[in-house]
Amino acid sequence: MKSIITTLVFIVISFSVSANNYYFAKSGSNTNSGTNSNQPWRTFSKLGSITLLPGDTIFINGGDTIRGQLNVVQSGTANHPIVFTSFGNGKGIISGAEVVNNWTKVGTTTIYTASFFGSIKSFFINHKEQTLARYPNEHQYLQVDSAQLSYLKDADLITLPTNYFTNTKVCVHTAQWCWEKTGIQNLTSNKLNYTSSLTLAALQKYGYFLYDNINLLDTIGEWQYSTSTGVLNYFSNNSFNPNNAYCEVSEYSNGINFIGSQSYVSISNLVFDKQTNAGIMIGSGCKNVVISNCEFYRQYNYGVQIMGKNHIINNSIFQQIDGHGIDIGSSKSEIHHNNFKNIGQFRNGGIGGQTNLSAIAVNFVDSNYLHHNIIDSTGYCGISSDGNGNIIERNIASHCMLLNNDGAPFKAFGNLSKNQIFKNNFALNTFGNKEGTYNGQFKTPAFYFDNYTQSCTLENNTSYNVPGTGIFLNAASHDNIVKGNVIYGGDFCLNINGSQQMPAPITGGEVKHNVFFALQNNDVCFRQVDYTNAFNFGSNDSNYLWQGFDTTHVGFRIVGTTPTFYNFKNWQAITNGDLHSKNAFVNLNVSTFTSTLLMNQTDNISKINLGDTIYLDLDSNIVCGNIDLPPFTSKVLLNTHQHIFCAFGVNDLMDINPTFNLYPNPCGQILNIDALQKIDNYSIEIFDVVGKIYKVIVSNYKTELNINVADLNAGLYFIKCNNFVKKFVKE
């Protein structure tokens, strides 16, 4: 036994001693040893002759920018991964860009040119990406007359100069959810032939634009590069000379590139900037790569592209990326506690096609866990998750769909999207963009189960300031569960949408225990469209269908082609459901009530102080003082604008305040009040939900007090006894 232990110790010591460190710094030299921080290398080419071993670490000097691509060709082990990180102060920067200098002004114009030979995707001035020359200019479009996958037709094309179409690209709004791009092969009369086919044929009158042609360069801030001449062109103004700015062009494909089937690699505390493809690209054979505390800026296609399985990306920043923040082609990976800002900024940026411009895109892969990510400002979706068994939990997505209309902060699509769970997420401040869309009627949702999505769950999510649709279940989706969600406003709080083009019915669903809260007269709590007239969606019950502005807009159906609105009782009758659901108990158009949405977007219980104001919950329970809101949940309350003393800071005075008792409750004629012996010189007020006072009684009567309320209309009332309030219902 002693000899075995000695051998094991020797193996561990020998293994740890064999690990090497390699250093890179801007001030380094490739003639240095590279194996200590005082002798760093300057360029990544030095690693080409090095065989990395498990436990080896590659260091980049904090704050230094090293330009080029790092290739990973070896693997670590579970206990001894290969590590890429920083040393010194700050984070090392891996840049995919090269600096451009020596600009020359062209004659008396404001166009500047510079020589550069390479493959350029983007141009930056002081780290801000510039607009590639286009026609028409930003926010303007040509219109499609007709189109197929390989061409479009537009009668107006014959009025444009012929040099607009040589070595030019085109970006076409083929559908409300995407802008696709391709090259132009030629123009024959009014027919624009593509160099490669698009995935969809654009609809009539949808928008498109031409780009990347020197003849289109006519607006301040536009640029264009000619690969044949190696000339970079920039359209400036009379007061700006690019020689006085920091100019870069993207050149290198990936910051760190995995070649082959590597595993057990750790990447931390690094910055990736301006790569033409991805900051980090992980191939399909790779496993167990951890990316932590990194920053990704201005990549053209992806911040990170991962394939393989069992990867982790956490505590990282993704900003100003043209395609996807994280593109997931891996299974069993975990993406958590990352921050995304300004993803998908240009319609013709990124990868193009139908999936582009999202913060996180899960591409028909399984068993990934996405949680605690914060997303702000995307051209398309916040999180688009397609696949089986993925969990999307406790994420916050705001200001999504800035360039498209048909998508959502949280979305799943297709018959391969099944058994996914979306829970305790927040979708906020999303409106959709119909620019370049002709007669687009789609109402951008917060949560979207698109065509054929099946057996997925939406649970305890919140929609706030998404005025189109709260939850959208699209044609042929089936067996999906919608429960415990809070939808605060929207033209349609819940939209179950059949389709004339796709007549497969939406079946097997369950909608229960949700809050569908209308904020305007025309908002509809529950919408159903089924052109098969079957309306066999599934079960719906025990929801709050809160339309407090127009009682006729609780439900909506299209039967055949006829739209019909329903009040609460009629909706219950025609659906044979929602029998235990609850309707609004006040008219918010005429009352002094206002609604408020309390949100807790943290992992801790949030203690919210409501002060001395009387609030009601949607069951008409009195709420005041301090309330506890569980993590990643929300609650709708009604503010009565009445004030009381909240004993003990409790939620519901009726349940815990023993100062006086009411019975019977509900009552028809005589309301009894007892336990008054505890109160000296009390004053009793009876008022309704709009604050109108009906009775005032001042007394010192110590036993039971009997009040005749027969003259009151049926409804909800409150009794205020000095500083304490309870409610009763007049039958």
Side-chain angles (χ1 to χ4, degrees):
M1 178 63 69
K2 182 176 180 180
S3 63
I4 293 175
I5 294 174
T6 303
T7 302
L8 289 175
V9 171
F10 175 78
I11 291 172
V12 171
I13 293 173
S14 298
F15 189 70
S16 62
V17 168
S18 69
N20 298 296
N21 296 333
Y22 301 98
Y23 295 84
F24 292 88
K26 184 178 180 180
S27 61
S29 169
N30 286 354
T31 61
N32 289 339
S33 68
T35 56
N36 66 72
S37 59
N38 296 322
Q39 290 282 312
W41 289 323
R42 183 175 177 83
T43 68
F44 295 139
S45 61
K46 290 296 294 184
L47 282 181
S49 59
I50 301 296
T51 300
L52 296 178
L53 300 174
D56 284 359
T57 300
I58 293 85
F59 291 100
I60 298 175
N61 191 38
D64 280 1
T65 297
I66 308 296
R67 302 179 189 276
Q69 177 171 296
L70 254 173
N71 292 323
V72 181
V73 295
Q74 290 95 22
S75 297
T77 65
N79 294 325
H80 299 280
I82 293 175
V83 177
F84 296 85
T85 190
S86 298
F87 75 100
N89 297 320
K91 296 177 181 178
I93 303 168
I94 299 178
S95 175
E98 293 286 0
V99 176
V100 179
N101 296 310
N102 302 318
W103 293 88
T104 301
K105 190 176 182 182
V106 179
T108 60
T109 70
T110 57
I111 294 177
Y112 286 81
T113 65
S115 296
F116 188 91
F117 286 93
S119 177
I120 297 175
K121 285 286 189 180
S122 307
F123 172 56
F124 305 88
I125 296 180
N126 298 329
H127 300 294
K128 178 177 175 59
E129 186 171 356
Q130 305 300 298
T131 301
L132 195 51
R134 57 170 283 178
Y135 177 85
N137 289 317
E138 190 72 17
H139 306 301
Q140 302 174 62
Y141 305 94
L142 300 166
Q143 281 192 336
V144 173
D145 289 341
S146 63
Q148 295 296 323
L149 298 181
S150 60
Y151 66 86
L152 67 80
K153 290 184 177 181
D154 178 5
D156 293 334
L157 289 174
I158 61 175
T159 66
L160 299 179
T162 56
N163 61 9
Y164 275 22
F165 304 97
T166 303
N167 298 319
T168 305
K169 298 181 178 69
V170 61
C171 184
V172 188
H173 195 26
T174 54
Q176 290 188 75
W177 59 88
C178 62
W179 293 80
E180 298 191 60
K181 57 183 182 177
T182 184
I184 296 176
Q185 185 178 52
N186 56 52
L187 175 68
T188 58
S189 183
N190 66 337
K191 182 180 179 183
L192 195 67
N193 296 295
Y194 307 149
T195 57
S196 59
S197 295
L198 302 180
T199 63
L200 297 171
L203 299 177
Q204 186 180 27
K205 294 188 178 182
Y206 270 47
Y208 72 97
F209 59 92
L210 313 175
Y211 70 101
D212 197 12
N213 181 315
I214 185 62
N215 299 295
L216 311 180
L217 189 71
D218 63 357
T219 302
I220 294 172
E222 287 187 344
W223 69 281
Q224 194 275 334
Y225 173 69
S226 172
T227 56
S228 60
T229 63
V231 174
L232 179 65
N233 304 277
Y234 177 69
F235 198 108
S236 184
N237 58 41
N238 290 321
S239 62
F240 178 76
N241 185 335
N243 286 303
N244 300 323
Y246 187 62
C247 300
E248 295 175 286
V249 290
S250 61
E251 172 72 10
Y252 300 100
S253 182
N254 303 301
I256 293 181
N257 182 48
F258 285 71
I259 300 176
S261 301
Q262 291 73 43
S263 59
Y264 297 111
V265 176
S266 172
I267 304 170
S268 65
N269 299 299
L270 291 172
V271 176
F272 298 84
D273 190 27
K274 304 184 184 77
Q275 284 75 27
T276 64
N277 182 52
I280 300 174
M281 201 292 289
I282 301 173
S284 59
C286 297
K287 298 183 294 185
N288 302 106
V289 177
V290 177
I291 301 169
S292 181
N293 198 33
C294 290
E295 299 174 30
F296 299 85
Y297 302 101
R298 296 170 283 266
Q299 285 75 30
Y300 188 78
N301 285 338
Y302 318 105
V304 175
Q305 183 182 25
I306 59 173
M307 292 174 279
K309 63 181 180 180
N310 298 331
H311 306 306
I312 296 174
I313 304 175
N314 64 55
N315 296 294
S316 294
I317 294 172
F318 298 81
Q319 291 189 7
Q320 300 169 42
I321 296 165
D322 289 346
H324 291 155
I326 300 177
D327 186 80
I328 302 175
S330 68
S331 62
K332 299 180 180 179
S333 294
E334 184 177 5
I335 314 297
H336 68 96
H337 292 93
N338 301 290
N339 194 299
F340 300 81
K341 178 78 172 180
N342 294 331
I343 309 298
Q345 306 171 93
F346 300 93
R347 290 170 174 82
N348 57 332
I351 58 177
Q354 293 193 62
T355 57
N356 196 19
L357 316 177
S358 296
I360 303 176
V362 182
N363 301 308
F364 298 103
V365 287
D366 305 336
S367 305
N368 295 288
Y369 185 28
L370 284 57
H371 62 100
H372 292 93
N373 299 287
I374 299 175
I375 298 165
D376 185 1
S377 303
T378 64
Y380 187 42
C381 299
I383 296 178
S384 176
S385 181
D386 301 329
N388 185 4
N390 299 303
I391 298 175
I392 300 91
E393 178 181 16
R394 298 196 178 197
N395 303 282
I396 303 168
S398 180
H399 301 101
C400 301
M401 304 301 299
L402 296 178
L403 300 184
N404 285 317
N405 191 47
D406 188 344
F410 297 91
K411 180 177 180 290
F413 166 78
N415 58 7
L416 296 179
S417 289
K418 53 189 176 182
N419 304 312
Q420 296 195 107
I421 298 174
F422 294 73
K423 64 180 180 180
N424 296 97
N425 301 289
F426 283 82
L428 313 169
N429 309 313
T430 293
F431 312 99
N433 188 334
K434 296 183 180 180
E435 201 170 291
T437 304
Y438 175 73
N439 197 30
Q441 301 300 313
F442 189 82
K443 298 178 183 294
T444 302
F447 301 93
Y448 190 178
F449 283 175
D450 203 354
N451 300 334
Y452 294 103
T453 300
Q454 57 185 289
S455 303
C456 292
T457 299
L458 280 171
E459 181 178 2
N460 296 335
N461 302 285
T462 297
S463 168
Y464 170 76
N465 199 25
V466 183
T469 299
I471 296 173
F472 186 30
L473 306 183
N474 208 0
S477 60
H478 59 90
D479 297 297
N480 296 302
I481 296 173
V482 178
K483 63 180 181 181
N485 302 284
V486 175
I487 306 302
Y488 190 64
D491 290 347
F492 307 134
C493 293
L494 172 65
N495 186 2
I496 299 176
N497 186 64
S499 170
Q500 288 176 302
Q501 293 76 31
M502 191 177 297
I506 301 174
T507 60
E510 178 183 314
V511 177
K512 293 184 178 179
H513 306 294
N514 302 281
V515 174
F516 301 134
F517 196 95
L519 291 177
Q520 300 183 66
N521 285 19
N522 292 327
D523 288 356
V524 174
C525 295
F526 202 143
R527 177 182 189 265
Q528 279 186 304
V529 178
D530 187 346
Y531 290 96
T532 67
N533 296 331
F535 290 106
N536 56 348
F537 160 74
S539 62
N540 48 283
D541 200 0
S542 301
N543 301 293
Y544 292 90
L545 305 182
W546 244 88
Q547 175 44 285
F549 299 93
D550 185 341
T551 58
T552 66
H553 276 60
V554 170
F556 173 86
R557 269 188 174 181
I558 292 180
V559 179
T561 58
T562 304
T564 305
F565 289 93
Y566 298 89
N567 63 25
F568 181 69
K569 289 185 177 179
N570 289 340
W571 179 254
Q572 288 180 311
I574 64 107
T575 61
N576 193 30
D578 276 326
L579 299 179
H580 300 92
S581 291
K582 296 186 178 181
N583 191 19
F585 56 78
V586 294
N587 185 339
L588 294 176
N589 271 325
V590 299
S591 76
T592 58
F593 277 59
T594 56
S595 66
T596 185
L597 178 68
L598 305 179
M599 295 184 288
N600 179 9
Q601 298 174 353
T602 74
D603 282 321
N604 302 309
I605 294 175
S606 178
K607 187 173 290 293
I608 300 174
N609 186 353
L610 300 175
D612 64 352
T613 300
I614 301 174
Y615 289 82
L616 300 179
D617 65 18
L618 300 188
D619 292 314
S620 76
N621 295 317
I622 298 171
V623 182
C624 73
N626 296 317
I627 66 170
D628 292 336
L629 199 59
F632 278 89
T633 63
S634 61
K635 187 177 184 66
V636 180
L637 295 178
L638 301 175
N639 188 339
T640 69
H641 302 284
Q642 302 291 321
H643 301 280
I644 61 171
F645 172 71
C646 297
F648 313 112
V650 297
N651 294 348
D652 188 344
L653 296 178
M654 187 183 72
D655 288 340
I656 65 88
N657 178 13
T659 306
F660 62 93
N661 301 320
L662 301 177
Y663 67 93
N665 190 6
C667 76
Q669 290 188 332
I670 303 299
L671 181 67
N672 303 302
I673 308 176
D674 68 3
L676 294 171
Q677 65 272 18
K678 301 178 183 178
I679 307 175
D680 293 328
N681 300 319
Y682 57 82
S683 174
I684 291 177
E685 297 177 355
I686 297 179
F687 58 93
D688 64 13
V689 293
V690 298
K692 180 180 178 180
I693 298 176
Y694 289 86
K695 296 178 184 292
V696 177
I697 301 171
V698 179
S699 177
N700 197 28
Y701 193 73
K702 290 298 184 179
T703 58
E704 185 176 280
L705 182 65
N706 310 116
I707 302 176
N708 191 333
V709 294
D711 57 332
L712 298 181
N713 293 325
L716 177 68
Y717 294 85
F718 300 97
I719 286 191
K720 181 178 180 181
C721 183
N722 287 4
N723 289 322
F724 300 99
V725 174
K726 290 191 175 184
K727 67 176 182 180
F728 74 94
V729 175
K730 168 63 169 59
E731 293 181 321

